[in-house]
Amino acid sequence: MRHEFNLVKLAENIYEIPKTKKMARVEGQVKSFEMLVPARVYANEALLSKIKTDQTLDQLTNVSCLPGTQKFAIGLSDAHQGYGFPIGGVAATLEKEGVISPGGVGYDINCGVRLLRTSLNDGEVRPRIKELLNALFDNVPSGVGSSGTIGAITPKDLDDILENGVSWAIKKGYGWEEDAANCEEQGCLPGNSQKVSGKAKSRGKTQIGSLGSGNHFLEIQRVAEIYDQTTAKALGINEVGQVTAMIHTGSRGLGHQVCTDYLRTMEQAVRRYNISLPDRELAYVPGHTPEAHDYFEAMCCAANFAWNNRQMITHWVRKSFSDVYKRKAEDMDLHLIYDVCHNILKKEEHVVDGKKLMLNVHRKGATRAFPPGHEKLPKHFQPTGQPVLIPGSMGTASYLCVGQPRAMELSFGSTAHGAGRALSRQEAIRNYRGREIANQLQMRGIYIKAQSDTVIAEEAPGAYKSIDQVVQVSHDLGIVKKVVKLVPIGVTKG
Amino acid sequence: MARDPTTGHEFISHPADIQVAVWAPTLEALFRETALVLARLMVPGPEIALDREIEVVTEAEDVKSALFDWLTEVLFYSDSELFVLGDVDVRSVESLPGGRYRVTSTFKGEAFKKGHHVSGTEVKAITYSYMTLEREGEGGYRLEIIFDI
């Protein structure tokens, strides 16, 4: 149903839809739902006008009807229509009485971004970029039906991955000891592999170390601008022109199946608990129920799988640099700066109305952005705040930021996760030719290697919102601080 | 198997994912058409050899869930066995007591060959989001469905 929303501007970049009753059509009947909290959007006028063109606000007000929701349902500056919950949103609910919903995390559990630094500069990398992209393309399989180069892993190894997180890959030699400390949650959440179905395990068994397709990518970048020298230095970024590598992928078929399985489980539970939903994809159960507990443990497993996936890819990135430059990765300073999740559910403590509460924080297309001094950050990030990685679309800039104190007040310690689409894929294919886009990017010094021209058209820079504006809104709100702007030199896509 | 002229599909503009409308005179034809749309999104070509058959039977609490579960099997075989669906024989979509539905079918296709098959759009999941499946008088059925990509 199309709604007119009463969007009130509270301050620069802050808009709110006050609590109200809302009507929704459910299986042919119109039902009334009560918004328990306001819905908030953090955006500037230009981004907001894009957000208004799809179902984002309708979905966001549905989220604000979920039992136990605290403060407000949040749409970030990159928000767009999703399924059930919008993408680019945060919903925090009371740990026990509040709800847990697989739709609030999404199908690609622990889809996330990782950034590696190097001691190379663009003058050394540009002349060999094609060689480097070819090596990456061979070492990191991508596209439909892509399996990792190590083939199928044993059921025992898979269980180890699902329960012990990124330490599996590091133990097997696919990483450096220090890598785990530079991942959100140190690359491990408390999973129980028995809660993951045989189907999900079967979908994941060959996919570890593969990129997938769609908006996932592997990118070689150069530092274009440094906004905060001190923080940049602390994170190992010393000068403009320095080269970095970014990895964007998630938990592949394993995570997709975990979400599908538990969406179905919760749907049955919804009937049993007699819950009425404005949208079937919002299926939820209260946090204290066995279904909620099982989903959380399975989701943690999928998150652990994703960290191993990005870790394996990290290994192949290091190897690709090593092969091309005939130097050890260690000698090229290929350290992991950080690894963030942007589709995840966390149990976190937050202050609501002056009280500390344990909450289920659903981040769907949202990145954690804890400020300096936050107790959950490891010691080495205490002075800087948590590194936040916000990737742009293909061919546009990405940002390295750090979390700031106002994130705790405004967004449950969260910020945007990327540019967010502005055009549908069909419109993009109608408007752009993959080959032309690739040629235009090449003239700007950006090489693209993709499985098909169609994916290049779908992912054309013009099909996305402006990443610069998305990040600027978070920066101006004091949710994050911009540290470094990165622009691509070479991209491989599925 | 030839396609009935009253069976068809069209893509609907969607901001991020893939939304498709499908119509067909019977539920069986509707399910088949939807599975073929899904399979061609993932592997647009070339022609898929039909040298492997997989029996797929799913049962669920209503017709939409039956479709959701059955289409999820296409994704399952694609990921776990690198199976490319070329055609599908939907023998029945039966209504059972209590509103339940059972789908009995045979998937036909071959293993994905790198360099031969085109890698299209990887579909992560079938969704219930804005899903409608309605009977259109005597004309048959119409479905709208979103695939998460």
Side-chain angles (χ1 to χ4, degrees), chain A residues 328-482:
Chain A
K328 282 182 14 199
E330 287 83 349
D331 298 342
M332 290 179 280
D333 193 37
L334 272 149
H335 285 274
L336 173 58
I337 291 181
Y338 204 61
D339 176 308
V340 297
C341 324
H342 55 224
N343 281 355
I344 198 92
L345 168 62
K346 295 281 190 68
K347 307 267 183 184
E348 288 173 1
E349 195 173 69
H350 287 271
V351 177
V352 180
D353 296 331
K355 275 190 296 201
K356 279 189 175 179
L357 296 174
M358 271 307 281
L359 303 177
N360 305 310
V361 182
H362 298 77
R363 293 194 180 95
K364 184 181 193 179
T367 314
R368 196 183 75 175
F370 282 171
H374 193 286
E375 59 181 23
K376 284 281 176 194
L377 295 179
K379 211 169 152 207
H380 59 295
F381 292 130
Q382 289 284 338
T384 55
Q386 178 211 310
V388 171
L389 309 170
I390 308 181
S393 53
M394 180 183 70
T396 64
S398 297
Y399 286 83
L400 167 61
C401 305
V402 285
Q404 291 293 282
R406 272 201 100 198
M408 301 313 288
E409 175 198 331
L410 290 180
S411 55
F412 298 102
S414 318
T415 187
H417 82 306
R421 291 197 78 90
L423 284 187
S424 75
R425 289 171 203 267
Q426 288 86 350
E427 285 168 306
I429 293 169
R430 267 198 302 279
N431 289 350
Y432 305 111
R433 296 278 161 274
R435 229 7 40 218
E436 278 169 33
I437 295 289
N439 290 339
Q440 284 165 14
L441 289 171
Q442 195 162 329
M443 286 195 293
R444 287 170 39 210
I446 304 168
Y447 283 91
I448 307 282
K449 195 163 165 66
Q451 292 284 354
S452 74
D453 284 350
T454 313
V455 76
I456 298 179
E458 282 180 356
E459 296 295 316
Y464 281 81
K465 300 191 182 85
S466 155
I467 186 69
D468 302 314
Q469 287 190 38
V470 164
V471 174
Q472 195 62 42
V473 167
S474 290
H475 177 89
D476 290 344
L477 283 167
I479 290 176
V480 300
K481 180 166 66 172
K482 292 198 290 185

Side-chain angles (χ1 to χ4, degrees), chain A residues 27 55 59 83 107 143-144 199 202-203 205 207 213 252-253 256 264 267 271 280-281 421 424-425, chain B residues 13-17 42 61-62 65 69 73 79-80 119 122 124-130 148-149:
Chain A
E27 302 294 312
Q55 300 288 335
Q59 294 185 335
Y83 22 91
Y107 288 101
V144 168
K199 274 213 155 99
S202 182
R203 278 180 77 173
K205 67 183 186 288
Q207 292 186 332
S213 83
R252 311 282 288 108
H256 311 160
R264 297 287 285 118
E267 257 207 311
R271 288 168 203 222
R280 222 169 155 174
E281 286 274 328
R421 291 197 78 90
S424 75
R425 289 171 203 267
Chain B
S13 189
H14 185 280
D17 293 317
M42 294 197 288
E61 67 273 21
D62 58 41
S65 300
D69 287 351
E73 292 294 301
D79 274 355
S80 62
S119 168
E122 190 175 53
K124 290 176 188 160
I126 312 303
T127 81
Y128 282 119
S129 188
Y130 304 99
D148 179 34
I149 60 172

Side-chain angles (χ1 to χ4, degrees), chain A residues 137-148:
Chain A
F137 206 71
D138 291 340
N139 284 325
V140 184
S142 63
V144 168
S146 52
S147 310

Side-chain angles (χ1 to χ4, degrees), chain B:
Chain B
M1 239 179 347
R3 245 177 231 204
D4 188 303
T6 59
T7 298
H9 70 269
E10 69 180 352
F11 291 100
I12 301 169
S13 189
H14 185 280
D17 293 317
I18 288 182
Q19 185 167 21
V20 59
V22 186
W23 54 89
T26 62
L27 280 176
E28 286 79 6
L30 187 83
F31 277 41
R32 173 173 180 263
E33 179 75 8
T34 313
L36 294 179
V37 170
L38 176 63
R40 290 297 71 74
L41 278 170
M42 294 197 288
V43 181
E47 199 160 325
I48 314 298
L50 306 180
D51 50 19
R52 188 178 164 205
E53 296 194 348
I54 306 172
E55 289 303 305
V56 178
V57 179
T58 57
E59 197 184 306
E61 67 273 21
D62 58 41
V63 69
K64 283 187 191 171
S65 300
L67 178 67
F68 178 101
D69 287 351
W70 183 74
L71 290 173
T72 299
E73 292 294 301
V74 176
L75 306 183
F76 172 73
Y77 284 108
S78 167
D79 274 355
S80 62
E81 305 194 13
L82 300 180
F83 178 77
V84 188
L85 186 78
D87 200 353
V88 54
D89 179 12
V90 184
R91 285 194 298 287
S92 63
V93 179
E94 301 165 76
S95 160
L96 305 174
R100 297 181 70 78
Y101 275 80
R102 182 190 297 136
V103 190
T104 309
S105 67
T106 307
F107 287 4
K108 299 173 182 179
E110 63 175 321
F112 185 86
K113 289 189 214 65
K114 231 183 161 76
H116 171 66
H117 290 116
V118 179
S119 168
T121 306
E122 190 175 53
V123 175
K124 290 176 188 160
I126 312 303
T127 81
Y128 282 119
S129 188
Y130 304 99
M131 190 203 275
T132 57
L133 199 174
E134 273 150 18
R135 183 146 204 173
E136 296 197 308
E138 291 304 297
Y141 297 86
R142 182 185 162 90
L143 165 76
E144 285 186 16
I145 192 166
I146 294 175
F147 302 136
D148 179 34
I149 60 172

Side-chain angles (χ1 to χ4, degrees), chain A residues 272-290:
Chain A
R272 216 165 40 245
Y273 298 136
N274 219 357
I275 295 166
S276 176
L277 298 171
D279 179 339
R280 222 169 155 174
E281 286 274 328
L282 283 174
Y284 66 77
V285 289
H288 61 78
T289 58

Side-chain angles (χ1 to χ4, degrees), chain A residues 244-296:
Chain A
T244 58
M246 186 174 268
I247 298 162
H248 177 204
T249 187
S251 50
R252 311 282 288 108
L254 185 136
H256 311 160
Q257 189 68 35
V258 165
C259 182
T260 298
D261 289 342
Y262 280 92
L263 188 65
R264 297 287 285 118
T265 306
M266 293 213 182
E267 257 207 311
Q268 324 257 343
V270 157
R271 288 168 203 222
R272 216 165 40 245
Y273 298 136
N274 219 357
I275 295 166
S276 176
L277 298 171
D279 179 339
R280 222 169 155 174
E281 286 274 328
L282 283 174
Y284 66 77
V285 289
H288 61 78
T289 58
E291 292 88 352
H293 189 69
D294 289 353
Y295 167 69
F296 183 69

